[in-house]
Amino acid sequence: MAKLRHEIEYLFTRLGMGLARSLSMPTADRFGAALGSLTHMLLGSRRRIARDNLRQAFGSAFSEDQIDALVRAVFRNTGRSLIDFSRMSTILEYGIDRLCVSDGLDNIEEAHRRGKGIIAVSAHFGSHELFGAWIASRGIPTDIIVGIQHNEKVDRLINGWRKQLGVGLIRVDTGIRDVFRSLKDNHIVAMLADQHAPNGIPIEFFGRKAAVAKGPAVFSLRSGAPILPFMLHRERFDRHIIEAGQPIYPPESGNNEEKIVRITEAYTAFIEDRIRAYPEQWLWTHRRWKI
């Protein structure tokens, strides 16, 4: 039964992505928003998680009607981002420089000149997959840490699309040595660090403690590579803004645990700041606060 379900999932994924690539950019964007609206109607439990998270994060800053509107916008953003990813080959033909604008290239180049690699840390925010395509177009070797799909055929399909960007892939379950090898070769290693980490450290995030993975800070301390926080937000279907924070270098004082906390607090604060600016573009449907 599981095998049949996986075959059906794979078939629908191929069909859906093929449809997305056949559409014009504005039509594909509307299709993604409609897909998000449909999932908003169908996924009641995720809808409730998003509402609860937003209410607790922002308190009385938003009315109930505003919270409801934000939740709908969150689902639409997720659908639009999924379609963006599905159309990556078409986007590359269109020209990633025409689609993405950044004011943070100087920060990337400064960190890269030091020769110890860069740990690029971001979140499930906007069309985050576009960052890999954009940074690869700058000519800096980039490796992306990727999760694992339960459906092996869908997993291979998705990672095949990622490889079209010209980036390397590091599997999250087996890639620790590959991370250090990439950093030693002065590559950018990009990862997402905004979801609950079962063995993470408690860091203040929207006024509540959230478990954040130690990995980025540990990689930085052991390799000497700086962490570069970045976020990518959507202005419209044909314009995405990449915002890169200041590089976070390993602290010179304190013991290792203190350094890990300080590094993690720094990039988590950057992520929170950008989410506050564009709350509709973050994945509020995830149970982020489990401590």
Side-chain angles (χ1 to χ4, degrees):
M1 184 63 71
K3 184 177 180 180
L4 176 61
R5 185 176 70 250
H6 284 182
E7 289 294 334
I8 294 172
E9 288 174 352
Y10 175 73
L11 176 62
F12 274 95
T13 301
R14 287 292 301 266
L15 290 173
M17 302 321 172
L19 172 62
R21 288 195 296 274
S22 71
L23 301 174
S24 68
M25 191 176 294
T27 302
D29 186 67
R30 290 193 293 270
F31 175 56
L35 182 63
S37 295
L38 177 62
T39 56
H40 172 266
M41 289 189 298
L42 296 177
L43 301 183
S45 61
R46 292 296 170 182
R47 196 167 62 236
R48 287 189 291 273
I49 291 171
R51 278 184 55 85
D52 290 344
N53 283 340
L54 281 160
R55 189 182 297 111
Q56 293 190 57
F58 290 99
S60 60
F62 295 121
S63 68
E64 289 302 305
D65 287 344
Q66 288 173 318
I67 291 288
D68 287 340
L70 271 174
V71 171
R72 288 193 293 272
V74 166
F75 277 86
R76 287 197 298 271
N77 175 73
T78 301
R80 296 166 81 185
S81 300
L82 176 62
I83 295 303
D84 283 343
F85 178 61
S86 306
R87 290 171 43 81
M88 198 63 74
S89 60
T90 305
I91 286 172
L92 293 176
E93 292 176 5
Y94 174 80
I96 196 69
D97 282 333
R98 296 172 63 189
L99 195 68
C100 296
V101 180
S102 175
D103 61 359
L105 186 57
D106 289 347
N107 293 342
I108 296 173
E109 291 177 341
E110 174 203 332
H112 194 250
R113 281 193 295 270
R114 293 175 176 253
K116 293 183 178 294
I118 299 171
I119 302 162
V121 173
S122 190
H124 293 82
F125 183 86
S127 280
H128 58 271
E129 294 274 3
L130 292 177
F131 178 77
W134 180 82
I135 198 63
S137 74
R138 309 267 69 82
I140 302 175
T142 302
D143 300 308
I144 300 174
I145 296 181
V146 297
I148 304 161
Q149 305 295 321
H150 293 299
N151 187 325
E152 291 184 8
K153 294 187 72 171
V154 172
D155 189 69
R156 288 195 298 271
L157 180 66
I158 290 174
N159 286 333
W161 290 333
R162 287 182 172 129
K163 289 177 181 177
Q164 293 178 14
L165 309 180
V167 300
L169 303 181
I170 299 174
R171 289 172 62 92
V172 69
D173 60 337
T174 59
I176 293 178
R177 290 183 179 179
D178 291 335
V179 170
F180 287 114
R181 187 180 298 114
S182 293
L183 295 174
K184 185 177 180 180
D185 291 340
N186 202 22
H187 290 196
I188 293 178
V189 175
M191 64 188 76
L192 304 180
D194 61 325
Q195 294 197 327
H196 173 73
N199 298 313
I201 53 176
I203 299 293
E204 196 84 5
F205 186 57
F206 282 91
R208 289 184 286 165
K209 294 292 185 182
V212 183
K214 293 182 179 182
V218 172
F219 294 145
S220 178
L221 289 176
R222 292 185 181 177
S223 67
I227 287 179
L228 184 73
F230 76 91
M231 300 284 269
L232 187 152
H233 74 265
R234 178 187 292 102
E235 282 197 343
R236 55 179 188 263
F237 70 87
D238 61 350
R239 183 178 173 86
H240 299 259
I241 309 299
I242 298 170
E243 299 179 76
Q246 293 297 317
I248 302 166
Y249 293 97
E252 295 181 359
S253 61
N255 60 44
N256 273 356
E257 286 303 315
E258 291 170 342
K259 292 177 181 179
I260 288 172
V261 170
R262 285 158 60 187
I263 291 171
T264 308
E265 285 177 338
Y267 72 72
T268 300
F270 176 85
I271 290 173
E272 178 180 331
D273 178 73
R274 295 296 81 208
I275 294 173
R276 286 186 179 277
Y278 306 96
E280 75 284 356
Q281 297 197 29
W282 189 53
L283 194 68
W284 292 93
T285 54
H286 169 66
R287 292 188 183 277
R288 183 66 185 92
W289 293 269
K290 294 185 180 181
I291 296 180

